[in-house]
Amino acid sequence: MRLDLLKILNEERAARRATVLITNTQSGEQRLVKGADIAGDALAEHLDAALRMGKSRSIEVDGQTYFLTVQAPPARIICIGAVHISQALAPMARLADFDLTIIDPRTAFATPERFPDVRLLAQWPQEVLPDLRLDRYTAVCLLTHDPKIDDPALIAALRAECFYIGALGSRKTHARRVERMMAEGFAEADLKRIHAPIGLDIGSVSPAEIAVSVIGEIIAALRKKPLRAEPKA
Amino acid sequence: MLASDDDILSRAEAWKGAGKGVAIATVIETWGSAPRPVGSHLIIDEDGNFLGSVSGGCVEGAVVAEAADVIADGKPRTIEFGVADETAWRVGLSCGGRIRVFVERVD
């Protein structure tokens, strides 16, 4: 491996950016594709699939064997709202290997007693999200029911093209949310990416059951190709 | 302790930066119950120091030996373990799995 490629690989990983190193295992020839350049690459389909699974793998193209060293940033979940659902979501996220952060400026909700061993930020989303650097490997769950708290995070999540954005609330609540976002200049197509009401439709009742449906929906968004994803009813 | 394979690649860069000859070994294929997943790395320097793993310790010695040749001649190579009789390799994987390892020099 060329030292310059190794350096870029290490730099990109530190910056939480996706990268794939392509090695021809017969000739030893190598090249590196940064996440932002994948769409235009000849092997785009293979690279995208490997990144989505977050796994290195061998592929065969035109009789040549290539090894893809895949560096996908670990997927994160950011919950806006230190609410009951978030309390149930926290241990589930840990089990499923997601890196979880909970944000809620309401200090009565965001207490370490309610959220042991969770990264908890008792601040407004607009204060802390710039430092968290939302990206394609981040899921954002809006759980406060309060536009004052949820909306700034929603705007940031839409701009960052987060792989998953879910929002709690009835269809009526969501319709008003969509109107507010259109007023912010987002197109209808952008807003279709919001999963609302949040969670897979499994008839969840309790906060823990809703948390299961949310984790399930996040995993589906991460692992399934957009084209194969079933449209929400 | 270096936990992830990613940290290991950072260490490979550091070793090279310190003026050592360095090779990177990567598991590129597995069959059966291989102990370490595809993409796992072992890094080796010219003195035979190594970090990371490509198996549960079964074949590391052989990979380290091969890495010395790769560091010397710069030619990358792919080696397969686990089919003891059919290859020149005496070492096998006791778990019954097979792995293929790509070894390359950092240049």
Side-chain angles (χ1 to χ4, degrees):
Chain A
M1 190 185 302
R2 279 174 14 221
L3 182 59
D4 59 329
L5 294 184
L6 180 60
K7 278 188 172 149
I8 298 170
L9 211 55
N10 288 335
E11 278 165 17
E12 294 294 297
R13 184 176 62 253
R16 266 189 67 84
R17 285 192 293 262
T19 326
V20 183
L21 176 74
I22 305 169
T23 305
N24 181 319
T25 50
Q26 281 112 22
S27 68
E29 210 174 295
Q30 284 173 324
R31 64 191 182 92
L32 190 134
V33 185
K34 293 188 185 182
D37 302 327
I38 283 175
D41 197 87
L43 298 176
E45 205 179 307
H46 295 283
L47 303 184
D48 190 61
L51 263 181
R52 196 167 282 283
M53 299 314 290
K55 287 210 168 100
S56 297
R57 63 163 77 156
S58 289
I59 57 167
E60 279 205 30
V61 180
D62 301 331
Q64 297 287 313
T65 305
Y66 299 96
F67 184 71
L68 308 180
T69 303
V70 172
Q71 285 193 170
R76 298 186 293 186
I77 300 177
I78 295 179
C79 287
I80 309 300
V83 297
H84 205 162
I85 296 172
S86 318
Q87 284 180 285
L89 197 74
M92 294 178 195
R94 195 178 307 131
L95 281 174
D97 268 340
F98 288 101
D99 173 12
L100 177 74
T101 302
I102 296 174
I103 301 169
D104 197 325
R106 301 168 299 179
T107 48
F109 286 84
T111 68
E113 291 73 35
R114 283 162 49 81
F115 293 91
D117 304 322
V118 173
R119 192 181 309 116
L120 185 64
L121 304 171
Q123 285 167 284
W124 289 90
Q126 57 270 44
E127 292 170 352
V128 293
L129 288 180
D131 285 341
L132 291 176
R133 291 191 298 178
L134 301 187
D135 56 29
R136 281 188 59 198
Y137 297 89
T138 307
V140 174
C141 305
L142 309 167
L143 304 171
T144 71
H145 281 299
D146 184 343
K148 265 202 321 295
I149 306 172
D150 281 350
D151 281 8
L154 175 55
I155 290 167
L158 286 166
R159 290 206 179 120
E161 300 195 351
C162 292
F163 77 88
Y164 174 86
I165 305 171
L168 199 66
S170 66
R171 288 177 204 286
K172 210 189 278 177
T173 305
H174 187 59
R176 283 198 295 272
R177 184 183 289 127
V178 166
E179 277 170 27
R180 292 195 303 276
M181 289 302 118
M182 304 260 273
E184 289 285 339
F186 289 104
E188 216 174 332
D190 299 329
L191 302 172
K192 285 233 167 71
R193 301 197 10 253
I194 306 170
H195 296 262
I198 199 168
L200 299 173
D201 185 4
I202 55 172
S204 300
V205 176
S206 69
E209 289 172 2
I210 295 169
V212 167
S213 76
V214 172
I215 283 279
E217 196 168 54
I218 290 173
I219 293 169
L222 181 66
R223 303 297 190 202
K224 286 170 97 177
K225 282 186 180 177
L227 289 174
R228 265 193 283 152
E230 289 148 38
K232 269 181 93 86
Chain B
M1 196 55 214
L2 289 162
S4 76
D5 288 305
D6 299 339
D7 296 330
I8 288 161
L9 287 185
S10 297
R11 188 56 75 88
E13 184 186 332
W15 283 2
K16 180 70 186 169
K20 293 276 183 192
V22 180
I24 299 175
T26 307
V27 178
I28 58 169
E29 227 170 327
T30 64
W31 301 263
S33 60
R36 293 279 287 141
V38 169
S40 301
H41 297 296
L42 174 74
I43 62 167
I44 308 98
D45 77 4
E46 62 190 33
D47 301 323
N49 296 307
F50 62 92
L51 202 63
S53 66
V54 290
S55 74
C58 329
V59 302
E60 267 70 11
V63 175
V64 169
E66 188 74 13
D69 294 342
V70 171
I71 291 171
D73 69 17
K75 284 196 199 104
R77 54 203 92 183
T78 300
I79 44 185
E80 194 174 316
F81 296 101
V83 211
D85 294 342
E86 295 159 26
T87 71
W89 294 92
R90 294 265 174 80
V91 285
L93 292 168
S94 52
C95 50
R98 280 195 294 157
I99 61 172
R100 191 177 285 166
V101 179
F102 182 71
V103 188
E104 60 188 316
R105 184 170 76 179
V106 178
D107 286 311

